[in-house]
Amino acid sequence: MTSRKDMPHGAVAVPRSPNIAPNSKLPVSLRFPLLVILSLTLSASLYTFAADFSVGEQAGISRSLNEWWQIAGLLGWRSVELGVGWWGGYDGVDLASLTLLSHLPPLYLATTFYSIRPTTVITSLAIDILSTYIPFRLLRPLSPTHNIEAPKAAVSNRSIINDLPVRTYTTLLAAGIYSVVVYGSYYSWLPVYLVTHFDGMRDISAAHSAALPYLLVSFVPVGYAAREFLFTPSAGARTDRGDAVSSAFNPESATLRQTVKHNLWDYPKRTQVIIERTATLVAVTGLNTWLQTYATIEGSEGYGAAGWAGVWAAAAAATGLALWWVGDV
């Protein structure tokens, strides 16, 4: 065990975060496969149940997926998304937030430009969120930053995280950034780009008639999810014993690898967390939006899907930067 004198000056000796401790007593090797099975089964069951009510409406704009490799590719990507959350140490709230942020863009495209009813989109999004949150919640407890019963020593800045005005302001800030990025795209390059690269797009008028206040209100859930995924975990991050030991640096005895790591990654724990999560959000949002748009919407081109994905990836990156700045003030 590391003694206090071996720890870098200013490091806080707290126990390692329990956020990766499993609820289940199943063998470690079985937990992730079980997570994937539970998530895919729940998703298929909910979509089957909802098909008779609203979700089946999307069939009118969906690309036919008749080959086995097409189905396998989508299922494989879904497993990758779950793996990002599982091996990244996320809890159910984290992955539910990431799912909302990364699965909304193709659904938003469908309801805005293909005349799919908002209730249909909300139903699909709710199914995606529930089919990730419930299995994660069964197999892994909430992290300290999302658990109000966690020990005080396990969470930094708890008073800030739980402060209602701060929660409101950071939610509105994130929603505002997404709104401005989408609004700016609508009134610059995006309409022509969509018409050029999406064959059969039904209605482009929403891009010309968009109002920033309306977008801000509609993106409040997006802002809430971004705050939960980016701001809350970073603001609540604390340096534990393991982090203190791994970050200790002696220039006289350090290897080249240790020196490079120290120079490139010697940031406070909070900054490291928000950089890692922002990079994850940008990557997952961009890849999922491109894949789901190109693979499932009839008439979409690869370039068109990439452009649409770029809008949301840019909004995610800008939101991460803004929430890092807020936490650093």
Side-chain angles (χ1 to χ4, degrees), residues 88 90 94 145 228-239 243 265 267-281 320 324:
Y90 298 164
D94 288 325
T145 53
E228 286 297 321
F229 185 73
L230 297 173
F231 181 79
T232 299
S234 62
R238 298 197 70 163
T239 301
D243 295 320
W265 195 241
Y267 300 113
K269 181 70 171 180
R270 182 191 63 79
T271 302
Q272 292 182 13
V273 170
I274 201 165
I275 289 175
E276 292 172 348
R277 284 178 173 251
T278 300
T280 299
L281 177 59
W324 167 80

Coordinates of all heavy atoms in Angstrom, one line a residue, residues 88 90 94 145 228-239 243 265 267-281 320 324:
G88 N -15.2 1.2 -20.4 CA -14.8 2.6 -20.0 C -15.2 2.9 -18.6 O -14.9 4.0 -18.1
Y90 N -18.2 3.2 -17.3 CA -19.4 4.0 -17.2 C -20.5 3.3 -16.4 O -20.5 2.0 -16.4 CB -20.0 4.4 -18.6 CG -19.0 5.2 -19.4 CD1 -19.2 5.3 -20.8 CD2 -17.9 5.8 -18.9 CE1 -18.4 6.0 -21.6 CE2 -17.1 6.6 -19.7 CZ -17.3 6.6 -21.0 OH -16.4 7.4 -21.8
D94 N -24.5 7.2 -17.3 CA -23.5 7.6 -18.3 C -23.9 7.1 -19.7 O -23.9 7.9 -20.7 CB -22.1 7.1 -18.0 CG -21.5 7.8 -16.8 OD1 -21.7 9.0 -16.7 OD2 -20.8 7.2 -16.0
T145 N -20.5 9.8 -8.5 CA -21.0 11.1 -9.0 C -22.5 11.1 -9.3 O -23.1 12.2 -9.3 CB -20.2 11.6 -10.2 OG1 -20.3 10.5 -11.2 CG2 -18.8 11.9 -9.8
E228 N -24.8 15.5 -17.8 CA -24.6 14.2 -17.0 C -23.4 13.4 -17.5 O -22.7 12.8 -16.7 CB -25.9 13.4 -17.1 CG -27.0 13.9 -16.3 CD -26.7 13.9 -14.8 OE1 -26.1 13.0 -14.3 OE2 -27.1 14.9 -14.1
F229 N -23.1 13.4 -18.8 CA -22.0 12.6 -19.3 C -20.7 13.3 -19.2 O -19.7 12.7 -19.0 CB -22.3 12.3 -20.8 CG -21.3 11.4 -21.4 CD1 -21.2 10.0 -21.0 CD2 -20.3 11.8 -22.3 CE1 -20.3 9.2 -21.6 CE2 -19.4 11.0 -22.8 CZ -19.4 9.7 -22.5
L230 N -20.7 14.7 -19.4 CA -19.4 15.4 -19.4 C -19.1 16.2 -18.1 O -18.0 16.0 -17.5 CB -19.4 16.4 -20.6 CG -19.5 15.8 -22.0 CD1 -19.7 16.9 -23.0 CD2 -18.3 15.0 -22.3
F231 N -20.0 17.0 -17.7 CA -19.7 17.9 -16.6 C -19.7 17.2 -15.2 O -18.8 17.4 -14.4 CB -20.7 19.1 -16.6 CG -20.5 20.1 -15.5 CD1 -19.5 21.0 -15.6 CD2 -21.2 20.1 -14.3 CE1 -19.2 21.9 -14.6 CE2 -21.0 21.0 -13.3 CZ -20.0 21.9 -13.4
T232 N -20.8 16.4 -14.9 CA -20.9 15.8 -13.6 C -19.7 14.9 -13.3 O -19.2 15.0 -12.2 CB -22.3 15.1 -13.5 OG1 -23.3 16.0 -13.7 CG2 -22.4 14.4 -12.2
P233 N -19.4 13.9 -14.1 CA -18.2 13.1 -13.8 C -16.9 13.8 -13.7 O -16.1 13.5 -12.8 CB -18.2 12.1 -14.9 CG -19.5 12.1 -15.6 CD -20.0 13.5 -15.4
S234 N -16.7 14.8 -14.5 CA -15.4 15.6 -14.4 C -15.4 16.5 -13.2 O -14.3 16.5 -12.5 CB -15.2 16.4 -15.7 OG -16.2 17.4 -15.8
A235 N -16.5 17.1 -12.8 CA -16.5 18.0 -11.6 C -16.4 17.1 -10.4 O -15.8 17.6 -9.4 CB -17.8 18.8 -11.6
G236 N -16.8 15.9 -10.4 CA -16.8 15.0 -9.2 C -15.6 14.2 -9.2 O -15.4 13.4 -8.2
A237 N -14.7 14.3 -10.1 CA -13.5 13.4 -10.1 C -12.5 13.8 -9.1 O -12.3 15.0 -8.8 CB -12.8 13.5 -11.5
R238 N -11.9 12.8 -8.4 CA -10.9 13.0 -7.4 C -9.7 12.2 -7.7 O -9.8 11.1 -8.2 CB -11.4 12.7 -6.0 CG -12.6 13.6 -5.6 CD -12.8 13.5 -4.1 NE -11.7 14.2 -3.3 CZ -11.8 14.6 -2.1 NH1 -12.9 14.3 -1.4 NH2 -10.8 15.2 -1.5
T239 N -8.5 12.7 -7.3 CA -7.3 11.9 -7.4 C -7.2 10.9 -6.3 O -7.2 11.3 -5.1 CB -6.1 12.9 -7.3 OG1 -6.2 13.8 -8.4 CG2 -4.8 12.1 -7.5
D243 N -4.1 6.9 -8.8 CA -3.8 8.1 -9.7 C -2.5 8.8 -9.3 O -1.7 9.3 -10.1 CB -5.0 9.0 -9.8 CG -6.2 8.4 -10.4 OD1 -6.0 7.6 -11.4 OD2 -7.3 8.6 -9.9
W265 N 0.2 14.5 -20.8 CA -1.0 14.1 -20.1 C -1.0 14.5 -18.6 O -1.6 13.9 -17.8 CB -1.2 12.6 -20.3 CG -2.6 12.1 -19.9 CD1 -2.9 11.2 -19.0 CD2 -3.8 12.5 -20.5 NE1 -4.3 11.0 -18.9 CE2 -4.9 11.8 -19.9 CE3 -4.2 13.4 -21.5 CZ2 -6.2 11.9 -20.2 CZ3 -5.5 13.6 -21.9 CH2 -6.5 12.8 -21.2
Y267 N -2.3 16.6 -16.6 CA -3.4 17.5 -16.3 C -4.1 17.0 -15.0 O -4.0 15.9 -14.6 CB -4.5 17.4 -17.4 CG -4.0 17.8 -18.8 CD1 -3.9 16.9 -19.8 CD2 -3.6 19.1 -19.0 CE1 -3.4 17.3 -21.1 CE2 -3.1 19.5 -20.3 CZ -3.0 18.6 -21.3 OH -2.5 19.0 -22.5
P268 N -4.9 17.9 -14.4 CA -5.7 17.5 -13.2 C -6.6 16.4 -13.6 O -7.0 16.3 -14.8 CB -6.4 18.8 -12.8 CG -5.6 19.9 -13.4 CD -5.0 19.4 -14.7
K269 N -7.0 15.6 -12.6 CA -7.9 14.5 -12.9 C -9.2 15.0 -13.6 O -9.7 14.3 -14.5 CB -8.3 13.9 -11.6 CG -9.2 12.7 -11.7 CD -8.5 11.5 -12.3 CE -9.4 10.2 -12.2 NZ -8.7 9.1 -12.8
R270 N -9.7 16.1 -13.2 CA -11.0 16.6 -13.8 C -10.8 16.9 -15.3 O -11.7 16.6 -16.1 CB -11.4 17.9 -13.1 CG -12.7 18.5 -13.6 CD -12.9 19.9 -13.0 NE -11.8 20.8 -13.5 CZ -11.9 21.3 -14.7 NH1 -12.8 21.0 -15.6 NH2 -10.9 22.1 -15.1
T271 N -9.7 17.5 -15.6 CA -9.4 17.7 -17.1 C -9.2 16.5 -17.8 O -9.7 16.3 -19.0 CB -8.1 18.6 -17.2 OG1 -8.3 19.8 -16.5 CG2 -7.9 19.0 -18.6
Q272 N -8.5 15.5 -17.3 CA -8.4 14.2 -18.0 C -9.7 13.6 -18.2 O -10.0 13.0 -19.3 CB -7.5 13.3 -17.1 CG -6.0 13.7 -17.0 CD -5.2 12.7 -16.2 OE1 -5.6 11.6 -15.9 NE2 -4.0 13.2 -15.8
V273 N -10.6 13.6 -17.2 CA -11.9 13.0 -17.4 C -12.7 13.6 -18.5 O -13.3 12.9 -19.4 CB -12.7 13.0 -16.1 CG1 -14.2 12.6 -16.3 CG2 -12.0 12.1 -15.0
I274 N -12.7 15.0 -18.5 CA -13.6 15.6 -19.5 C -13.0 15.5 -20.9 O -13.7 15.4 -21.9 CB -13.8 17.1 -19.2 CG1 -15.1 17.6 -19.9 CG2 -12.7 18.0 -19.5 CD1 -15.7 18.9 -19.4
I275 N -11.6 15.4 -21.0 CA -11.0 15.2 -22.4 C -11.4 13.8 -22.9 O -11.8 13.6 -24.0 CB -9.5 15.4 -22.3 CG1 -9.1 16.8 -22.1 CG2 -8.8 14.8 -23.5 CD1 -7.6 17.1 -21.9
E276 N -11.2 12.8 -22.0 CA -11.5 11.4 -22.4 C -13.0 11.3 -22.8 O -13.3 10.7 -23.9 CB -11.2 10.5 -21.3 CG -9.7 10.3 -21.0 CD -9.4 9.5 -19.7 OE1 -10.4 9.3 -19.0 OE2 -8.3 9.2 -19.5
R277 N -13.9 11.9 -22.0 CA -15.3 11.7 -22.3 C -15.7 12.5 -23.5 O -16.6 12.1 -24.3 CB -16.1 12.1 -21.1 CG -16.1 11.0 -20.0 CD -16.9 11.4 -18.8 NE -16.9 10.3 -17.8 CZ -18.0 9.6 -17.6 NH1 -19.2 9.9 -18.2 NH2 -18.0 8.6 -16.7
T278 N -15.1 13.7 -23.7 CA -15.5 14.5 -24.9 C -15.0 13.8 -26.2 O -15.7 13.7 -27.2 CB -14.8 15.9 -24.9 OG1 -15.3 16.6 -23.7 CG2 -15.2 16.7 -26.1
A279 N -13.8 13.2 -26.1 CA -13.3 12.4 -27.3 C -14.2 11.2 -27.6 O -14.5 10.9 -28.7 CB -11.9 12.0 -27.0
T280 N -14.7 10.6 -26.5 CA -15.6 9.4 -26.7 C -16.9 9.9 -27.3 O -17.4 9.2 -28.2 CB -15.8 8.7 -25.3 OG1 -14.6 8.2 -24.8 CG2 -16.8 7.6 -25.4
L281 N -17.4 11.0 -26.8 CA -18.7 11.5 -27.3 C -18.6 11.9 -28.7 O -19.5 11.5 -29.5 CB -19.2 12.7 -26.4 CG -20.5 13.4 -26.9 CD1 -21.6 12.4 -26.9 CD2 -20.7 14.6 -26.0
G320 N -18.1 20.0 -25.0 CA -17.1 19.6 -24.0 C -16.1 20.7 -23.7 O -15.7 20.8 -22.5
W324 N -15.8 22.2 -19.9 CA -14.4 22.2 -19.3 C -14.1 23.6 -18.8 O -13.6 23.8 -17.7 CB -13.4 21.8 -20.3 CG -12.0 22.1 -19.8 CD1 -11.2 21.4 -18.9 CD2 -11.2 23.2 -20.2 NE1 -10.0 22.0 -18.7 CE2 -10.0 23.1 -19.4 CE3 -11.4 24.3 -21.0 CZ2 -8.9 24.1 -19.6 CZ3 -10.4 25.3 -21.1 CH2 -9.2 25.1 -20.4

